[in-house]
Amino acid sequence: MCLEEVLQEHGYHTTIAESYSRLSKAFQYLLHKRFDLVIITNTSIPPSHIPTIVPDIKARHPRGRIIVMSGHCPVDLMADLKQKGVDGFLPLPFEEDALLKEVARLLSDRAN
């Protein structure tokens, strides 16, 4: 909720599509809706599932941007996620300024 509140306070429209217990329902939502940016956190999706869902999301929405936020950030995982189409990576706990800069950067890149 903290993530959603920060984004909404800065004028972003947000939708939460996932809780830890309903991975398949949230994933189906992402595949069938249009979005500009998806933020995947390992607090809402098991870390082992993140690398497997990113390619499917990117295949369905090649212009959509994806940020992964995780407290588990080994270099090989970040490289794998980048190769699979992740546009940004932020460590958890997140810093509000870093989040807002990354969101603004990715959404402005999408517009160009």
Side-chain angles (χ1 to χ4, degrees), residues 1-9 14-19 22 41 43-44 94 99:
M1 290 303 189
C2 182
L3 179 61
E4 182 182 33
E5 288 173 14
V6 167
L7 293 171
Q8 286 180 349
E9 284 176 7
T14 63
T15 301
I16 293 185
E18 169 53 28
S19 72
R22 298 176 302 186
T41 70
T43 58
S44 62
F94 69 92
L99 171 67

Side-chain angles (χ1 to χ4, degrees), residues 20-39:
Y20 222 78
S21 63
R22 298 176 302 186
L23 178 61
S24 62
K25 186 175 183 177
F27 184 64
Q28 291 302 315
Y29 177 85
L30 289 174
L31 293 179
H32 293 100
K33 298 291 182 184
R34 190 184 90 62
F35 60 85
D36 296 317
L37 175 70
V38 171
I39 299 175

Side-chain angles (χ1 to χ4, degrees), residues 33-97:
K33 298 291 182 184
R34 190 184 90 62
F35 60 85
D36 296 317
L37 175 70
V38 171
I39 299 175
I40 301 170
T41 70
N42 70 347
T43 58
S44 62
I45 296 177
S48 61
H49 289 139
I50 294 173
T52 62
I53 66 170
V54 168
D56 292 332
I57 294 170
K58 274 301 209 184
R60 297 271 178 124
H61 303 284
R63 290 187 43 90
R65 302 290 189 221
I66 299 174
I67 296 175
V68 171
M69 297 176 73
S70 178
H72 178 71
C73 18
V75 173
D76 59 333
L77 173 64
M78 291 188 299
D80 182 43
L81 291 173
K82 183 79 171 164
Q83 183 179 10
K84 290 181 177 178
V86 168
D87 301 290
F89 189 94
L90 294 170
L92 287 175
F94 69 92
E95 293 183 18
E96 187 173 321
D97 288 342

